[in-house]
Each structure stands twice: as C-alpha cells, then as structure tokens.
C-alpha cells in the first residue's frame, strides 16, 4: 500500500454519559448501604449463633465431664461387688455430705468409700455409706482429708473394735475420740493418723485401748516435735517394756502378760527413783533397760503428767459425736464458696448424666466411622496412596489460587470507592483497552492449567478404582445412617421439651407458631434495571486519502493503540 499523504484523523466525541452516571452513582450508594447493613446483620447473627453454640456445647461438655468423674469413682466401688442400689445409696450420701461440708466433693466421698468397703467387708451397702460419712466428718473436723480418715477407720476397725460392740458403735467411738484428741492436744488429724498408723496393732495386742493410746500420744507430744514423733517414741517404749521390767526389777505386766496402764508404770518409776529420776546416771540406766533413747523421752514427757494422763483417758472415753459435728461446721466458716462450688458440681454431674448417653453414642459413631476409614485404607493401599498424591497436589494448587483470590479480594474490598471513581470514568475511558489487555495477561498466568492437571489425575484414579470407591461410600453412608438414627429421635424429644418449657413460662402456646426472622428472609432492595439513553456524535475529517482506503478499519485500529497520539500510519490501512 502506498505511503499515506498527510492523512489525519480528528476524533471528537460528545458523550452524554454524565447525567446517567450521576443517577447510577446514587443507586450504587444506596445499594452499598444495604449491602453493608446486611453484612453487619449477618455478622451479628453469626456471632450470636457461634457464641450460643459454643456456650451450649461447653456447658454440656463440662456437665458430662463432671458426671464422668463421679461415674469413674462409682466404677471403683462397683469392682468390689457393690450393686447399682448400693452405689445409688453411697452416691446420695456423698452428695448430701458435699452439699454441707467443705473440702470433700461427691467423687472424693465415693472413692473414699472404697477403703471402707475393702477394710470392713461385713458392712452392708448402706453401712458403707454411713461409715464413710463418719470418717469424712471426722476428717473435716480435724483438718484431715476424707481419704486419709477412711483409711484410718478401716485400719482402726481391725485393731480397736471390741468384740462386744457393733461396727457402727466402734465407728462412733473412734470418730468421737479422734475428734476430741485433736481438739484437746492441739494437733491435726493427719498428724495423729500418722502416729496411730506408726504404732499399728502393737499397743492393742499388749492391752492398750484406743483412748489410752491417744492420751499417751497427746500428752507426751510436748517432748517431741509432733504427734507422729510422739507415737514413734511410744512404739520404742512398747518394744522395750518387757526387757526393761527385768533389768529394773519392776513389774510392768499383769498375770496375763498384758501391759499395765501407763499411769501405774510411771508411778512405779517415780517410787523407785524419786527425785533422782532426771540424773544422768538414772537416765543411762533407764535407756539401757529399754534399749532406746526415744522410749526414755516418752517417760520424761509423761512422768510429771500422770494426773493429766488419767483425766484425758476419762474424757476420751466419754467423747461424743456432737463435738465432732460442731468442729466440722466451725471449719466451714470462710469456705462458703467452696461449698457452693461443690453444690454446683453435684448439679452439673446430675445434668451430665442426662447428656452422657447421647455423648457416648456420638463418640461410638465417630469411632466406628474412624475404624471404617482405617479398614478401607488398609484394604486399598494403592488407591489410598494415589488419592494422597492427588489431595496433596490439589492442596498446593488451591494454595496458589488462594493467594490470587486474596489479591482479587483486596481489589474487591475497595468497591465502596466506586462512587468517587465514577467521576474519573471519562478521563480513563480510552485506557480501558489497555487495562483489559493487562488483566487478560494476568489471568493467563494463573495456575488453572495445574488445576486441570490435578483434576485429570483424580479422574483417572477414580475411573481405575471405581469399584472399591463406590463400595466404600455405600458402606460409609449406610454405617453413618445407622449410627446416627438415634439423633433424630433425640432432637424430637428436645424440641418437645423446649415447647413444654416455652408454654410453662408463658411464651405462647404450642399451637401458635411465629415465623422466625432470619438473615435469609431479609430482602435487598436492589435498584431496578433501567435503560440509559446515550447518543455519541463523532465527526471524522479525512484529508487527501489514498485510493481504496478502509477508513472504518483505520479508525478502530488507531483507537485500540495505547498513548495519546493516535495518528494513522499506512500499516493501519
């Protein structure tokens, strides 16, 4: 084609878009506000739903956990042969006690009853409950624990129970005497328990009663650092008393070989040595006779307290449970919130018992599904491996696509600025072509081909392994349906229960239903579609064109070119 001779094209476009764009701006503004309002409402309802769901599931989970703790303790005593009826009686006593006294929860009480039942097999189920309460209240009164005291009562039953008294007579006596001993000798239950355990059955076999043993430990405690150490000294005394009477030429036992009361032994020593008892020579002689310095510490701690020792035994023999009850209640002061927490724990366990069957059923269903998946993978290792590669590849592709989505999303977030941008439409009108080209290049670079490849691989795998895949999903959904069939019934029961609650509190009758307003029911008043009349006037002057010039083609080619200079060249024609 011949070279162009002074070809110029002057394009002047008188657009009439401004009025229409102004109206469009108003419509978009209104639509934007509606979208923002809807988004806020959805976010609000979504947050409320999430919070409600979390609160409900958290509450149910906490209740089920409380019940499981109690159920685990019940399982322990069930292993001893206690039946459902007996467990119910012990649990009832446990809740009643924990509702009244601080420091012992219902599960603690039930667990402690294990030691009572295993140590006193003759007790009935109801007897176990009552005996455990005796130990628990003694622990509460003496700054001990229910667990420690039940172990002590079980041990003491085998040592101190007299043949002419019942189990409960012994229990009452031991509780009353231990409680008074702690109060009178200013010690703690745990310390006293350790002392009694240290002596064991040795004193009782030698004819020493529980009240005398407690009086000796309590009154000699001043010569030691604690009641448990005083018990250690007394044990040494008991071990050496037989040989000591021969060495010292005194009689510390009766005709049956039982040890005389401690008061009589001390009086014999005072009668023999008088004021010289505390001299070094006499002390060495007594240590040699008893074979232990600890035994002599016990004698020194009691030698001037014979009257107190005698009186302590009398008081301990007359001790009552009323004193123990009063001590336990006194220790509740300042622990009111601890008792409140125990009451809430009992209520939570009761509620948890209602939800536990559903929770266990759900867990069983989930476990069954997990087993099915594991079995299917074991039976189809080749397919599982192939699917693993496909899923991993898909994950990689989606990661890249996700990154691109974030970028595009960032652009879409600035859509509310569209109103202001409309004013610049006229200025950027001729740049649209270039922008479209750039956007086309950007999309050309996206990972769609990788996605297609992944889909193709997946399709081949599914085609190859269709039979095992089909069988898995058929079995999977059949199992799922059978495992969750109970859920529909449970939901119906809950809905019925909710309707009853609604009627009870006066929120309407069951036969009147009000349509709930949900975000989906909200309507968006989208601007109605409208036709915008537009007339463009274009005046084209072509100076001295060559022959056979395709003017229309040349103009279109020039308009598609980037830059402000849109002159025509002969290549355009």
């Amino acid at each position: 084609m011949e070279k162009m001779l002074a070809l110029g094209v002057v394009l002047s476009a008188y657009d009439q878009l401004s009025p229409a764009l102004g109206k469009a701006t108003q419509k978009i503004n209104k639509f934007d506000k509606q979208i923002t309002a809807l988004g806020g409402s959805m976010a609000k309802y979504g947050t409320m739903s999430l919070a409600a769901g979390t609160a409900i599931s958290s509450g149910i989970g906490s209740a089920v956990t409380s019940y499981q703790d109690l159920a685990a303790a019940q399982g322990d005593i069930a292993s001893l042969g206690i039946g459902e009826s007996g467990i119910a009686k012990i649990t009832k006593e446990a809740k009643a006690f924990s509702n009244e006294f601080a420091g012992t929860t219902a599960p603690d009480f039930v667990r402690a009853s294990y030691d009572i039942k295993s140590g006193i097999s003759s007790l009935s189920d109801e007897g176990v409950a009552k005996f455990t309460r005796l130990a628990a209240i003694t622990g509460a009164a003496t700054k001990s624990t229910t667990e420690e005291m039940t172990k002590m009562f079980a041990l003491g039953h085998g040592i101190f129970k007299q043949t002419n008294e019942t189990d409960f007579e012994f229990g009452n006596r031991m509780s009353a005497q231990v409680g008074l001993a702690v109060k009178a000798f200013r010690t703690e239950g745990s310390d006293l328990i350790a002392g009694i355990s240290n002596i064991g059955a040795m004193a009782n076999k030698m004819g020493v009663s529980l009240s005398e043993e407690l009086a000796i430990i309590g009154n000699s405690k001043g010569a030691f650092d604690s009641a448990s150490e005083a018990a250690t000294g007394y044990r040494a005394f008991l071990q050496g008393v037989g040989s000591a009477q021969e060495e010292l030429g005194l009689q510390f036992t009766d005709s049956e070989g039982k040890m005389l009361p401690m008061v009589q032994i001390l009086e014999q020593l005072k009668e023999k040595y008088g004021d010289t008892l505390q001299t070094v020579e006499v002390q060495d002689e007594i240590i040699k006779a008893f074979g232990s310095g600890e035994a002599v510490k016990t004698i020194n701690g009691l030698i001037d307290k014979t009257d107190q020792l005698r009186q302590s035994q009398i008081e301990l023999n007359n001790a009552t449970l009323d004193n123990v009850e009063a001590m336990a209640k006194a220790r509740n002061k300042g622990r009111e919130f601890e008792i409140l927490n125990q009451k809430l724990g009992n209520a939570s366990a009761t509620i948890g018992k209602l939800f536990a069957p559903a929770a266990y059923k759900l867990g069983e269903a989930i476990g069954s599904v997990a087993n099915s998946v594991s079995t299917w993978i074991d039976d189809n290792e080749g397919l599982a491996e192939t699917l693993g590669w496909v899923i991993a590849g898909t994950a990689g592709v989606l990661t890249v696509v996700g990154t691109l989505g974030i970028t595009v999303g960032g652009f879409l977030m600035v859509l509310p600025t569209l109103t202001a941008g409309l004013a610049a439409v006229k200025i950027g009108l001729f740049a649209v072509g270039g922008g479209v080209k750039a956007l086309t290049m950007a999309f050309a670079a996206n990972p769609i081909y990788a996605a297609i490849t992944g889909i193709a691989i997946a399709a081949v795998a599914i085609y190859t392994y269709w039979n095992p895949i089909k069988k898995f999903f058929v079995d999977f959904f059949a199992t799922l349906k059978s495992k969750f069939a109970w859920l529909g019934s449970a939901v119906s029961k809950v809905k019925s229960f909710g309707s009853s609650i609604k009627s009870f509190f006066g929120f309407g009758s069951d036969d009147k239903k009000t349509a709930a307003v949900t975000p989906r029911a909200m309507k968006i008043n989208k601007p109605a579609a409208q036709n915008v009349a537009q007339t463009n006037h274009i005046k084209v002057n072509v100076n001295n064109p060559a022959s056979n010039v395709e003017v229309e083609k040349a103009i279109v080619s020039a308009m598609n070119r980037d830059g402000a200079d849109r002159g025509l060249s002969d290549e355009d024609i």
Side-chain angles (χ1 to χ4, degrees):
M1 181 180 291
E2 296 182 359
K3 187 175 182 180
M4 293 179 59
L5 298 174
L7 247 186
V9 176
V10 180
L11 302 177
S12 58
Y14 303 98
D15 64 85
Q16 298 178 0
L17 287 175
S18 296
L21 288 177
K23 293 181 180 179
T25 299
Q26 294 176 1
K27 295 291 186 179
I28 290 176
N29 256 335
K30 185 176 180 181
F31 184 66
D32 176 64
K33 290 179 180 178
Q34 291 176 334
I35 288 294
T36 303
L38 176 60
S41 298
M42 293 181 67
K44 180 177 69 176
Y45 289 125
T47 303
M48 290 171 60
S49 298
L50 176 61
T54 302
I56 293 172
S57 59
S58 176
I60 291 175
S62 177
V64 171
T65 300
S66 297
Y67 170 69
Q68 285 183 312
D69 189 21
L70 180 60
Q74 292 172 335
D76 290 340
I77 61 175
S79 67
L80 297 177
I82 298 178
E84 290 295 326
S85 176
I87 291 174
K89 292 177 181 178
I90 295 172
T91 302
K92 181 179 179 180
E93 191 68 51
K95 290 182 177 180
F97 184 85
S98 60
N99 284 340
E100 186 176 1
F101 296 99
T104 299
T105 64
D108 292 338
F109 188 102
V110 174
R111 288 191 187 93
S113 68
Y114 182 96
D115 292 317
I116 296 297
K117 179 61 178 178
S118 59
I120 312 174
S121 58
S122 58
L123 288 173
S124 65
D125 294 341
E126 186 175 2
V128 171
K130 292 182 177 180
F131 214 94
T132 303
R133 189 185 189 281
L134 274 175
I137 198 170
T138 308
T142 61
K143 297 180 69 174
S144 179
T145 66
T146 298
E147 181 183 8
E148 290 176 331
M149 201 57 73
T150 49
K151 291 180 184 297
M152 183 66 255
F153 271 58
L155 174 66
H157 182 272
I159 298 174
F160 300 109
K161 180 183 176 297
Q162 299 171 0
T163 55
N164 62 343
E165 66 181 351
T166 66
D167 292 331
F168 286 105
E169 288 174 343
F170 159 75
N172 292 341
R173 177 168 64 87
M174 184 167 188
S175 175
Q177 290 184 358
V178 169
L180 182 59
V182 168
K183 181 180 180 180
F185 304 126
R186 292 177 176 81
T187 184
E188 294 182 0
S190 299
D191 188 23
L192 193 61
I193 286 171
I196 295 173
S197 300
N198 191 15
I199 296 172
M202 181 181 294
N204 183 258
K205 288 180 179 180
M206 297 177 73
V208 179
S209 67
L210 175 61
S211 59
E212 182 180 9
E213 183 174 322
L214 292 173
I216 291 171
I217 293 173
N219 281 287
S220 65
K221 186 170 72 72
F224 298 88
D225 292 331
S226 64
S228 59
E229 289 187 13
T232 301
Y234 183 46
R235 180 185 177 88
F237 176 88
L238 294 171
Q239 289 173 332
V241 70
S243 60
Q245 65 178 351
E246 296 179 3
E247 291 285 337
L248 300 175
L250 300 172
Q251 187 65 39
F252 296 152
T253 58
D254 60 16
S255 57
E256 297 180 357
K258 300 292 184 179
M259 193 174 73
L260 296 175
M262 179 63 85
V263 172
Q264 293 183 22
I265 294 174
L266 293 172
E267 287 177 343
Q268 287 186 47
L269 290 171
K270 284 195 294 183
E271 183 179 346
K272 178 175 183 177
Y273 294 106
D275 295 337
T276 65
L277 186 61
Q278 299 300 326
T279 63
V280 175
E281 183 181 355
V282 173
Q283 289 286 304
D284 288 343
E285 183 180 346
I286 296 176
I287 291 173
K288 182 180 179 181
F290 279 91
S292 168
E294 293 296 310
V296 176
K297 284 180 69 175
T298 298
I299 295 173
N300 291 337
L302 296 173
I303 197 68
D304 295 326
K305 295 182 178 180
T306 52
D307 290 340
Q308 293 96 313
L309 184 59
R310 186 181 290 108
Q311 184 62 31
S312 294
Q313 284 184 246
I314 294 173
E315 292 176 354
L316 287 169
N317 284 328
N318 294 325
T320 64
L321 283 176
D322 292 340
N323 174 64
V324 179
E325 189 97 10
M327 291 172 64
K329 289 181 177 179
R331 293 197 64 242
N332 275 340
K333 293 181 179 179
R335 306 171 72 186
E336 289 79 8
F337 281 105
E338 187 174 350
I339 297 175
L340 175 60
N341 283 333
Q342 290 172 189
K343 290 179 178 179
L344 293 175
N346 291 337
S348 181
T350 302
I351 295 172
K353 186 177 181 179
L354 300 177
F355 289 102
Y360 297 156
K361 197 81 173 180
L362 181 61
E364 180 184 346
I366 294 174
S368 177
V369 171
N371 288 337
S372 298
V373 172
S374 177
T375 301
W376 183 83
I377 291 175
D378 291 338
D379 294 341
N380 301 274
E381 292 184 1
L383 175 57
E385 183 177 356
T386 302
L387 289 176
W389 281 103
V390 171
I391 293 172
T394 303
V397 171
L398 291 176
T399 300
V400 177
V401 173
T403 303
L404 179 62
I406 292 173
T407 304
V408 175
F411 169 74
L412 293 177
M413 288 176 66
V414 301
L415 281 179
T417 62
L418 178 62
T419 302
L422 287 173
V425 170
K426 287 197 299 183
I427 300 174
L429 190 59
F430 289 106
V432 172
V436 171
K437 290 180 181 179
L439 187 61
T440 302
M441 294 178 65
F443 277 106
N446 69 32
I448 192 64
Y449 297 110
I452 293 174
T453 302
I455 293 172
I457 295 174
V460 172
I462 291 173
Y463 179 79
T464 304
Y465 297 98
W466 171 245
N467 287 332
I469 291 176
K470 177 182 177 182
K471 183 179 183 303
F472 168 74
F473 280 105
V474 169
D475 295 343
F476 176 79
F477 285 111
T479 301
L480 207 61
K481 181 178 179 181
S482 64
K483 292 294 181 181
F484 287 94
W486 57 271
L487 190 58
S489 176
V491 170
S492 298
K493 291 181 180 178
V494 171
K495 288 172 66 178
S496 176
F497 180 72
S499 298
S500 300
I501 292 293
K502 176 182 175 184
S503 298
F504 177 78
F505 284 103
F507 293 133
S509 60
D510 294 338
D511 58 345
K512 294 181 180 180
K513 298 182 179 179
T514 303
V517 179
T518 64
R520 297 186 63 179
M522 298 177 65
K523 296 182 179 180
I524 302 174
N525 295 322
K526 297 182 180 179
Q530 62 181 43
N531 296 323
V532 179
Q534 175 179 327
T535 305
N536 298 324
H537 302 281
I538 301 176
K539 183 178 181 181
V540 179
N541 296 324
V542 180
N543 298 322
N544 301 320
S547 59
N548 300 323
V549 173
E550 297 183 15
V551 176
E552 182 180 355
K553 175 182 176 182
I555 292 172
V556 172
S557 178
M559 289 179 68
N560 286 335
R561 186 179 297 117
D562 294 336
D565 185 8
R566 297 183 181 276
L568 298 176
S569 65
D570 56 352
E571 286 82 0
D572 296 319
I573 301 176

